[in-house]
Amino acid sequence: MHAMVLKKLGTGLESTDRADPQPGRGEIRVKVAACGVCRTDLHVVDGELPDPKLPIIPGHEIVGRIDALGAGVEGLSVGERVGIPWLGHTCGVCPYCLGGEENLCDRPVFTGYTRDGGFATAAIADARFAFPLGEAGGDVELAPLLCAGLIGWRSLVIAGAGKKLGLYGFGAAAHIVAQVAKWQGRSVFAFTRPGDLAGQAFARSLGATWAGGSDERPPAPLDAAIIFATAGDLVPAALKAVRKGGRVVCAGIHMSDIPSFPYRLLWEERQLVSVANLTRKDGIDFLRLAPEMGLVIRTTRYPLNQANQALADLRAGRFEGAAVLVP
Ligand SMILES: [Zn+2]
Ligand SMILES: [Zn+2]
């Protein structure tokens, strides 16, 4: 197999050839057809997340076909198309797993962070955490659904049912969530970096009612806001933008420090929560509904060996929507 490997934090990925991995008991091997590039991959490469496995193959938005089954795998077959998400494995016995909150498992394994991911021609996955994808839709367009879509979906559910929804940071996740929210009959208010007129136009093209800079106030108080961007100073900005009883959801795995802010921004029962990881139920719920939503997924394709360029372009905001690596 061929892979783009992070050997040392803060350095580029190295193009590497390895022997094909063999699936162990309960595992599948997937021939990767496409793998999305997520902001979290940047956090892994930059060493912003604790204790990554090194060396590591990043990538947790994998679409591919099963080409080998380990012992004991049931319900999946060779040739079947599956998606492999961020949540790679859970312990199944901790209080969170037993309580239906496997996203908070005490001993999880995360694809592309603590087990090898999809910036490669092949990947191994725990069969129970792979999602059958069926045959509808292209591999490249499906890949961003595996994290941007799934985490976006979980964030949207946790944001509640309010009609006026703010999205801070209009990248891969927000460009999907905006369409989901519109499909649900909500109004979307998109906040980009100040002056990012192209991003604001992109948001409006996807149905946003209003788009502006994150330093602007929306034309009406919001029922809820989801922050996908990594700047902690968006937290007080979003709290200012939501109505009494409104909710602000931090959807990213990493954020810069949140500046101190006056208590009156939280007062009147505003809520500030974070979203961590996903459960398999999130994936099943979202992937079942997604085909009905008419989602238009904007992707920029890169050959696998240009993974470093894709990461650099993501960091610099040089494309709209999602980057996807194709082996
Ligand atoms: Zn657990
Ligand atoms: Zn991700």
Side-chain angles (χ1 to χ4, degrees), residues 38-40 60-61 86 147-148 151:
C38 174
R39 172 69 55 176
T40 298
H60 55 272
E61 296 180 310
W86 169 250
C147 182
I151 301 282

Side-chain angles (χ1 to χ4, degrees), residues 104-126:
L104 301 178
C105 174
D106 282 334
R107 288 176 294 279
V109 176
F110 295 117
T111 310
Y113 173 34
T114 56
R115 89 181 292 162
D116 282 333
F119 289 6
T121 55
I124 298 286
D126 183 323

